[in-house]
Structures are given as C-alpha cells and as structure tokens.
Amino acid sequence: MKALVLTATKKMEIQDINQPTVKPNEVKIQTKYAGVCGTDHALYNGLPGSADAVPPIVLGHENSGVVAEVGSEVTNVKVGDRVTVDPNIYCGQCFYCHTDRPELCENLSAVGVTRNGGLEEYFTAPATVVYPIPDDISFKVAATIEPISCAVHGVQLLNLTPYQRALVIGDGFTGQLFAQILQAYGVHQVDLTGHSDKKLAMNKEKLGVTNTYNTKTEKIPTDYYDVVIEAVGSPETQSQAVEATRKGGQVLMFGVGSPDAHFEMNTYEVYQKQLTIQGSFINPNAFEDSIALLQSGKLDVDSLISHEFNLDEVENFLQGNVKGVSKAVVKVGD
Ligand SMILES: [Zn+2]
Ligand SMILES: [Zn+2]
C-alpha cells in the first residue's frame, strides 16, 4: 500500500509498504481523509507535538475512513463502518489517569505521532479510540473532528453562561471553530480579532460574530470581556488577552506558542480583576460532543476547509510553500 513516510526530520517519502496487521484489540482502517495541522508542521520540523514523533513514522493524527478489519476482541465497530479516530491513547495506569485527567497522562501515545497515522492507505488504532460517525457527516469533515475536539475541551474547561461577552483572538481555523462553539454553548456575544479586513468581514458574515477588530489598525476594548480565548500563541496576543478581560474574567490560553516563549502580564491586574488563566491540552472525552455538535448543524466546518491535497503534495505544504491555507485536508483513499 501507499504511505507517506516521515523518514527523517524535514524529509518525507512516498513508499510502498505492507498493510499493518491488527492486534486482538485493534481496528484496521482504510483511510479516506487526513487533516494536516500545526502539530504536523512541528513534527515535520523535528519539534514535539503532544508527544515526540520518531522517524520513520507516518503522520496523520486527524483522520477518517472505513473499518477494513477488526481484531478478535473488538466489539464497538465492525467491518464497513464509517469511523474517525481520537489519536490520543492514555495508559490508564499513571497518577493523572488515576485522577481523571487522562490528557495529562505520563505515558501518552498517539496515532499519527508515536504510531502510524492516516497519511497512508491503511492504518491501525486501538478500538477504544475509534468512533463511528453518522452518515450525514462527510469523510472530509470527519477528518476535522480531532481539532474540533481540542477546541471543545478548551470550552469545557471554562465556566460559560449566556450573559457573557467573549472574545476570540485569531481568525484562523481554530479561532473560527471557537467563535462557533462558544455560540453553540449559548454565549450571546462573541467578538473576533484578526489581521485582515477581508477575512474578518467574511468571518463576521459566515460565523455570526458580533464585532470584529483588525488589531493592525484597531484597538481591542480593555477590561471588557468575561471570556477571552487566545488562539494564536504569540506573546503579544497573550498579553492582549489578559488586558481585554473584565473583572472576574477567564482567559483560555489555547494557541500553541514556541516552547521557550514568555509573555508579559501585569500581575496586579490578575489580582485586582481576579482573573482565571486556563491552559488547554489535547482533547479528553470530547469526541462524542464534537460529533454531536457537527450533527446539530451549529458548526459549519465544510466551508472552512480551504485546501485539499493529495499525498504527494503534503511535504510541499509542510515546507511552508503554500500560502493562504486556513485548513488543509489530504484525500488519501478514493
Ligand atoms: Zn491536529
Ligand atoms: Zn496515564
């Protein structure tokens, strides 16, 4: 079968390899689509994602496909089922798993990071992380359930009520997801910041946000928001997030910064406004909610997917040679 193998840091190759074999508790999936995101850029460049990827490895932690084979112990899916895979596999035995915070697992492994993922024609996953998808969710959209689930986890870490005013900093794919998810969770005012008037206008029309701010030319209101979601990961926007909150506010630090970056904040402000600053890591128990959100029609993802690549176009994208990508998916099967 055809596989796109990360053979070394910054090096990928399409290879003809054997189909994987299934263990008793595993499912073999014929891939339809795989999503590619910032984590894949990091892994391609030799940086850690949620865990380290050691070449040779097949990336593709966001994916969808059809069950091709099941191991003898598998009961939750059968051959022919349409499925998606939660890439994150928890050990179930460490301190964090034992205290109901599996996302902090000391022995985290992940499909498409520490074991082969969806950028090949067939891949395997433990049955515990395989989720059936309803017929009305396309394979293309299903490949984005993983990033949706990470945003849903972030939202679930917040204390949300309908009266709140929320700001999403960053109008890329993640910001676009948050703008919609916050509204689906009942927040009545969701504002959005970005860098391009054209993109902000499009997002305002499509996502139903209340106000937009182009931070190149406009100032975000300070001491105004109950909830601010930072979806960029730069020290500048992290400082903006803290300043934009009003008293009692919550900041979700979602954007992934560089490992050695620091942002400046006024600690008196954190004290005086009684702020909550919340980190968010991966996606525990958020796949079912994400599938339900898509089914509810409150989340439009299809129109946010800006690029569809073939396997042989992925490396060029990961090298940063494709501009204007909001969300990219890879068509792996037919
Ligand atoms: Zn991802
Ligand atoms: Zn664990």
Side-chain angles (χ1 to χ4, degrees):
M1 67 167 185
K2 203 170 162 185
L4 179 64
V5 184
L6 180 70
T7 52
T9 296
K10 297 185 187 183
K11 200 170 178 333
M12 279 180 150
E13 218 174 82
I14 294 199
Q15 295 181 352
D16 189 13
I17 63 172
N18 290 332
Q19 284 193 22
T21 50
V22 291
K23 296 196 178 108
N25 65 341
E26 285 182 347
V27 177
K28 182 162 92 178
I29 294 153
Q30 182 186 18
T31 316
K32 291 289 186 185
Y33 277 91
V36 187
C37 78
T39 295
D40 298 300
H41 278 100
L43 298 173
Y44 177 76
N45 288 303
L47 302 167
S50 56
D52 287 316
V54 181
I57 188 93
V58 175
L59 304 183
H61 63 277
E62 307 173 2
N63 51 62
S64 64
V66 176
V67 174
E69 191 183 336
V70 295
S72 56
E73 294 169 6
V74 174
T75 55
N76 61 328
V77 289
K78 59 182 190 312
V79 172
D81 282 356
R82 306 168 78 250
V83 294
T84 183
V85 171
D86 179 350
N88 295 305
I89 303 161
Y90 309 118
C91 79
Q93 299 176 37
C94 73
F95 171 73
Y96 296 104
C97 284
H98 281 169
T99 51
D100 204 19
R101 295 166 294 172
E103 69 274 27
L104 305 178
C105 177
E106 299 275 19
N107 310 299
L108 184 69
S109 58
V111 174
V113 182
T114 62
R115 56 185 278 162
N116 286 356
L119 289 175
E120 59 182 350
E121 288 179 299
Y122 293 86
F123 69 101
T124 60
T128 48
V129 297
V130 178
Y131 290 74
I133 48 171
D135 287 342
D136 55 359
I137 297 178
S138 70
F139 286 118
K140 187 173 164 181
V141 166
T144 68
I145 290 173
E146 194 274 342
I148 293 169
S149 71
C150 292
V152 165
H153 171 58
V155 163
Q156 288 173 343
L157 291 167
L158 299 169
N159 197 353
L160 294 179
T161 63
Y163 67 75
Q164 289 166 330
R165 301 193 285 240
L167 175 70
V168 177
I169 296 181
D171 67 348
F173 181 65
T174 305
Q176 292 170 325
L177 289 180
F178 272 116
Q180 297 183 80
I181 294 169
L182 285 168
Q183 292 175 79
Y185 272 73
V187 176
H188 85 286
Q189 178 181 341
V190 180
D191 294 352
L192 185 69
T193 79
H195 275 164
S196 144
D197 285 336
K198 198 175 145 205
K199 200 166 172 196
L200 284 168
M202 181 202 78
N203 277 327
K204 187 169 182 177
E205 193 192 315
K206 196 147 72 178
L207 308 178
V209 296
T210 307
N211 304 301
T212 59
Y213 298 94
N214 183 338
T215 49
K216 276 187 175 162
T217 53
E218 293 169 292
K219 242 185 97 46
I220 305 170
T222 51
D223 305 329
Y224 181 76
Y225 293 99
D226 302 285
V227 173
V228 180
I229 295 181
E230 201 285 335
V232 177
S234 82
E236 188 195 352
T237 45
Q238 288 161 345
S239 295
Q240 282 172 359
V242 173
E243 286 163 16
T245 51
R246 71 170 169 190
K247 288 193 280 186
Q250 306 164 72
V251 177
L252 186 73
M253 290 296 183
F254 189 88
V256 182
S258 85
D260 52 2
H262 295 76
F263 78 98
E264 251 183 58
M265 73 180 163
N266 178 332
T267 52
Y268 182 82
E269 190 180 353
V270 177
Y271 153 71
Q272 182 260 340
K273 293 205 276 194
Q274 192 170 286
L275 296 185
T276 303
I277 298 176
Q278 172 73 54
S280 182
F281 185 67
I282 61 173
N283 60 345
N285 306 318
F287 252 60
E288 295 290 4
D289 285 348
S290 303
I291 292 166
L293 258 178
L294 278 172
Q295 268 207 298
S296 76
K298 289 179 178 168
L299 201 54
D300 167 31
V301 171
D302 209 359
S303 72
L304 303 180
I305 298 171
S306 61
H307 289 71
E308 185 174 322
F309 296 126
N310 294 317
L311 275 181
D312 55 11
E313 296 170 307
V314 174
E315 184 166 24
N316 187 46
F317 169 59
L318 292 177
Q319 286 167 337
N321 296 330
V322 187
K323 299 293 170 218
V325 177
S326 177
K327 180 62 193 173
V329 295
V330 183
K331 192 168 191 291
V332 180
D334 26 76

